[in-house]
Amino acid sequence: MKKSFIIVLHIGYWVLYLLLITLFMLFLQAGGARSVEPALHRFLSFLRLMGTFTIIPALISFYLFYGLLFDRYLSQKKIFLLGFVGLQVVLLAGFAGFAVLNVVTKGLVLSNNSFKEISMMVCFMSILALIHGIIALVMKGFITWYGDIKLKQQLQQQQFNTELALVKSQLNPHFLFNTINNIDVLITKDPEVASAYLNKLSDIMRFMLYETKAAHIPLQKELTYIEKYIDLQKIRSANHNFVQYTVEGNTSNWMIAPMLFIPFIENAFKHSVKKKADQEIVVRIIANRDRLEFYCENLFSENSISNDEAGGLGNNLIEKRLQLLYPGVHSLQGERAGDVYKIKLSIYNHEN
């Protein structure tokens, strides 16, 4: 819910409340007025007293319930503590209202009333404060409920967009066409090597069509996919050392979302245009018990980067997907240093 609407809602609530108080005081002052000036004077005096009597406790209780008690107790279902602290808040509001009223009347309320009458005043203002506190909880609950619905809709829409982009990235036509053309050239030169690459391409397509439907897959399957993807990319360069791919640690204990790392690797290949220098692209994966780390760095050319092309999923969609899949248990860092672009993604094992 927009802040402007919430502000208007609060203003509307207090305007209606003040209007109700004014109408009530006009009703009480309707009889017995013999002239305009005395009636107006009495009304303004009564308005000052009643305004202090009814507004101060209401404001204190409303915003303490709204801003403090709801988030700290009701939203966490601590009902007993809510009742206990809420009772103290309404009593505090009642005493505060009486204190301000006594100041406004220059001590007349305290000096001209008995203990019983003062207690009744404090009790009345406390009850009034309780009513406003309950209304504040209802209002904050409605705003929170509405905000949760909107947030859920936004997350669902983001997930849909992310999944759609993921599906589109899975069958990159340029990669597919280039790989097929390279294999076609190899068929006449070395049929056995061409057959091996064709099998890898088949495995990659099978992985993208079937394995990616699951929410999580064994990390080893993802690594096998990455290895075959890199092998097929190497066909396009005479220097196979332009890519360094290493895996460290125990990968058997990890389950991850499918195609979690491949968008970064796709971007690295896309923006590395030379493919002649050794270790132009470095991909490193380290699997520890409590953390899975992915490093990718590549030399890039400014001419290869376009505002209209994000490559793979694109940085924004990648970040949104990570927020949906690993909220609070991941970190993503990107850095440009000269003509080198580095990415570090860490996934934390929340079970440890």
Side-chain angles (χ1 to χ4, degrees):
M1 187 175 292
K2 294 182 178 180
K3 289 185 178 180
S4 57
F5 180 80
I6 296 175
I7 293 172
V8 171
L9 185 64
H10 281 249
I11 293 174
Y13 173 77
W14 291 112
V15 168
L16 288 175
Y17 179 61
L18 291 174
L19 180 61
L20 181 63
I21 293 174
T22 303
L23 292 174
F24 177 72
M25 288 187 289
L26 284 173
F27 175 78
L28 293 179
Q29 293 287 313
R34 297 181 180 179
S35 62
V36 176
E37 278 192 31
L40 181 61
H41 180 72
R42 287 196 303 271
F43 174 73
L44 292 176
S45 299
F46 192 65
L47 179 65
R48 183 179 63 177
L49 294 176
M50 287 298 295
T52 304
F53 194 81
T54 56
I55 293 175
I56 299 300
L59 283 171
I60 294 174
S61 178
F62 184 93
Y63 284 107
L64 282 177
F65 273 79
Y66 184 93
L68 182 64
L69 270 64
F70 182 91
D71 293 331
R72 185 166 294 183
Y73 301 112
L74 186 58
S75 63
Q76 299 181 21
K77 298 181 180 180
K78 298 179 180 179
I79 306 302
F80 177 78
L81 286 175
L82 174 65
F84 179 74
V85 178
L87 179 62
Q88 297 181 60
V89 168
V90 297
L91 290 175
L92 172 65
F95 281 109
F98 178 81
V100 174
L101 182 63
N102 190 59
V103 172
V104 170
T105 59
K106 299 179 180 179
L108 294 177
V109 174
L110 186 61
S111 60
N112 294 342
N113 292 278
S114 64
F115 177 79
K116 181 178 180 180
E117 291 171 332
I118 293 173
S119 299
M120 290 180 65
M121 289 184 194
V122 173
C123 183
F124 177 82
M125 285 188 281
S126 298
I127 293 173
L128 187 65
L130 176 62
I131 294 172
H132 283 276
I134 293 173
I135 294 174
L137 292 179
V138 173
M139 185 182 295
K140 185 65 177 290
F142 170 77
I143 293 172
T144 303
W145 169 77
Y146 184 83
D148 289 342
I149 290 179
K150 295 295 291 184
L151 178 61
K152 185 177 180 180
Q153 290 176 346
Q154 291 174 359
L155 289 176
Q156 288 176 343
Q157 185 63 39
Q158 287 178 357
Q159 186 172 9
F160 172 79
N161 293 335
T162 304
E163 290 174 352
L164 180 60
L166 177 62
V167 171
K168 290 180 179 179
S169 73
Q170 287 175 354
L171 293 174
N172 188 319
H174 297 290
F175 167 72
L176 185 61
F177 294 152
N178 289 333
T179 303
I180 291 175
N181 289 334
N182 290 326
I183 292 175
D184 183 50
V185 173
L186 279 173
I187 289 176
T188 56
K189 295 182 177 180
D190 194 334
E192 292 185 4
V193 174
S195 176
Y197 280 124
L198 190 61
N199 287 330
K200 291 182 179 182
L201 179 60
S202 175
D203 291 339
I204 282 179
M205 296 186 68
R206 186 180 298 108
F207 175 86
M208 292 187 296
L209 292 174
Y210 299 109
E211 298 292 344
T212 56
K213 292 181 180 180
H216 292 87
I217 62 172
L219 174 60
Q220 190 57 49
K221 287 188 177 182
E222 180 87 354
L223 298 181
T224 302
Y225 170 85
I226 292 174
E227 183 177 354
K228 292 179 179 179
Y229 176 84
I230 292 175
D231 287 342
L232 290 176
Q233 287 284 8
K234 287 181 179 179
I235 307 177
R236 302 170 61 185
S237 174
N239 178 21
H240 287 186
N241 294 325
F242 83 97
V243 181
Q244 182 187 44
Y245 171 61
T246 58
V247 178
E248 303 175 19
N250 185 6
T251 62
S252 60
N253 296 327
W254 278 91
M255 299 286 290
I256 64 168
M259 299 193 74
L260 186 65
F261 304 134
I262 197 63
F264 301 107
I265 301 175
E266 284 184 349
N267 283 342
F269 278 103
K270 179 177 181 179
H271 297 305
S272 288
V273 293
K274 296 180 181 179
K275 298 181 177 63
K276 295 180 180 180
D278 289 350
Q279 298 184 14
E280 186 174 340
I281 299 174
V282 176
V283 179
R284 186 181 177 198
I285 297 172
I286 303 175
N288 297 317
R289 181 180 179 185
D290 59 342
R291 182 170 56 189
L292 178 63
E293 294 182 342
F294 169 84
Y295 299 89
C296 183
E297 64 178 63
N298 64 279
L299 298 176
F300 71 92
S301 170
E302 293 290 347
N303 296 329
S304 68
I305 300 175
S306 169
N307 292 331
D308 297 328
E309 295 179 358
L313 285 175
N315 289 336
N316 291 334
L317 286 174
I318 291 173
E319 292 176 5
K320 289 180 180 178
R321 186 179 183 228
L322 286 169
Q323 290 171 3
L324 289 170
L325 294 173
Y326 299 99
V329 291
H330 82 278
S331 66
L332 177 63
Q333 300 171 349
E335 177 188 5
R336 287 187 184 182
D339 59 350
V340 178
Y341 185 73
K342 300 179 180 180
I343 280 286
K344 179 183 177 182
L345 171 62
S346 299
I347 305 296
Y348 303 98
N349 188 352
H350 57 84
E351 295 180 357
N352 290 334

